[in-house]
């Protein structure tokens, strides 16, 4: 029988911020969304205070009174820490499935002492990545999710729970609300309670034919998973993307066309980079722009355009050129734009690209140029090498007024701006020139 482990970083974004600045540990904290709009991540102490996904500007005063720290999202840093966590996990399982930025399923079949193995994973991640994690182990993915959640909540388990004994599985399912079962959610939970199904144990013991008739095959599969029948195998990698979109609200409303063109060019370059990281090429480019719909006293406008390419491409310059051409067609003067997006669409494996004899560019030179660009930006940080069309001031960039400082609490962004090697935490050194 298969054995799955689920490793999940505790309050991932907040844990990363506390790694950057250990003085934040022991305080309730939240990480804000783009443009410092609202709380999108909260640590355990913040949740205990009743803080939800609340707007920042309406709650800043209250959070200050409660001693809550708040930090702007620092996605490059979070992505780096995700890579470090997954690199460590690859040493503890022959096969892993990266489920999200802070979660991964592991194939633990054949491990003789599952509890010791899980606790070693937890200890090593804390030592070498500086991040606290929970580890749940069970015969199915759904049960591993439940084990992970209960292990984090139990002081005795200390973040690690192996759920393979039928007696303990029954107790765990009785203590789990049906709404908290992976894949159920609030809407289905309400309907299930109408069928007198209140806990995960009730759902496991329900008539699967009734579940299939009243719900669907997905929930029926969940019932089987709760019974210890594995229906969700470990995936070796994510499915190939059909499209990749870069879309962010601007830090301020944009009226000037040149500034808008720079933002769209930067989004196009970002989409192209993400596309190449997945080994893909695009066959079309789409661009969209819109004003702020919440400003009802201002004229509103939104539009988009999509253009096909003569040949598939991985070339950032070509994608930027097509994106700007789309923007020229949809841009209208007299409006203040709040948001823009660029999507590379019709993606195919880059290895399957067919070059045109009429193309003036040497395909090998293009591949080499893009490879060099990606390597340098990976080594020295995003945007180290970029196209002039993206601009240099980036006044349109989203607001990040509360980036963490590595030197102490308060506003600052030394992590991104100081050219030095920094030591984060007490047990892990991030060897990266910033």
């Amino acid at each position: 029988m298969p054995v799955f482990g689920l490793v999940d970083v505790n309050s991932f974004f907040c844990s990363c911020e506390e790694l950057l600045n250990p003085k934040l540990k022991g305080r309730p904290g939240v990480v804000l969304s783009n443009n410092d709009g609202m709380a999108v991540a909260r640590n355990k102490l913040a949740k205990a205070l009743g803080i939800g996904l609340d707007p920042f500007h309406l709650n800043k005063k209250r959070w200050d009174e409660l001693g809550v720290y708040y930090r702007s999202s620092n996605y490059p840093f979070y992505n780096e820490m995700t890579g470090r966590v997954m690199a460590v996990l690859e040493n503890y399982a022959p096969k892993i499935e990266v489920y999200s930025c802070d979660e991964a399923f592991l194939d633990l079949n054949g491990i003789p002492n599952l509890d010791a193995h899980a606790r070693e994973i937890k200890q090593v991640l804390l030592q070498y990545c500086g991040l606290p994690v929970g580890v749940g182990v069970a015969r199915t993915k759904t049960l591993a999710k439940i084990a992970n959640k209960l292990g984090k909540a139990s002081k005795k388990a200390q973040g690690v729970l192996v759920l393979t004994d039928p007696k303990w599985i029954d107790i765990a399912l009785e203590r789990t609300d049906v709404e908290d079962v992976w894949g159920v959610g609030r809407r289905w939970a309400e309907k299930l309670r109408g069928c007198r199904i209140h806990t995960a144990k009730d759902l496991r013991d329900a008539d699967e034919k009734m579940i299939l008739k009243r719900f669907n095959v997905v929930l029926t599969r969940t019932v089987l998973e709760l019974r210890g029948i594995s229906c969700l195998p470990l995936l070796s990698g994510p499915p190939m993307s059909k499209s990749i979109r870069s879309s962010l609200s601007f830090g301020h409303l944009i009226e000037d066309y040149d500034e808008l063109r720079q933002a769209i060019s930067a989004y196009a370059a970002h989409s192209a980079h993400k596309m190449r990281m997945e080994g893909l090429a695009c066959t079309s480019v789409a661009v969209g722009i819109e004003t702020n719909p919440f400003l009802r006293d201002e004229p509103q406008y939104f539009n988009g355009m999509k253009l096909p390419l003569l040949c598939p491409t991985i070339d950032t310059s070509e994608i930027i050129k097509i994106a700007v051409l789309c923007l020229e067609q949809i841009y209208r003067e007299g409006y203040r734009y709040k948001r823009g997006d660029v999507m590379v669409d019709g993606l195919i494996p880059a290895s399957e690209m067919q070059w045109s004899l009429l193309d003036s560019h040497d395909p090998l030179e293009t591949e080499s140029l893009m490879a060099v660009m990606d390597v340098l930006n990976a080594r020295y940080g995003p945007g180290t090498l970029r196209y002039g069309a993206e601009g240099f001031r980036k006044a349109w960039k989203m607001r990040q007024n509360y980036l963490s400082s590595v030197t102490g609490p308060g506003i600052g962004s030394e992590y991104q701006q100081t050219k030095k090697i920094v030591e984060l935490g007490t047990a892990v050194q991030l060897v990266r020139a910033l």
Side-chain angles (χ1 to χ4, degrees), residues 237-258:
M240 188 183 79
S241 300
K242 296 181 179 179
S243 63
I244 294 176
R245 181 190 300 269
S246 291
S247 177
L248 288 173
S249 296
F250 306 130
H252 64 91
L253 297 176
I254 295 179
E255 294 182 83
D256 182 62
Y257 171 77
D258 289 335

Side-chain angles (χ1 to χ4, degrees), residues 18-20 22 25 423-428:
E18 292 164 16
L19 176 63
L20 270 180
K25 292 183 178 179
E423 183 169 321
L424 307 179
T426 57
V428 56

Side-chain angles (χ1 to χ4, degrees), residues 202-244:
D202 295 336
L203 182 59
R204 181 199 65 181
D205 298 336
D207 182 3
E208 59 186 86
K209 293 183 179 179
M210 181 273 292
I211 295 294
L212 180 60
K213 182 178 180 180
R214 295 195 179 187
F215 296 88
N216 59 20
V217 69
V218 175
L219 191 59
T220 306
R221 191 181 298 129
T222 299
V223 172
L224 297 176
E225 286 257 320
L226 292 174
R227 294 175 182 175
I229 303 171
S230 179
C231 302
L232 302 171
L234 210 64
L235 303 177
S236 58
M240 188 183 79
S241 300
K242 296 181 179 179
S243 63
I244 294 176

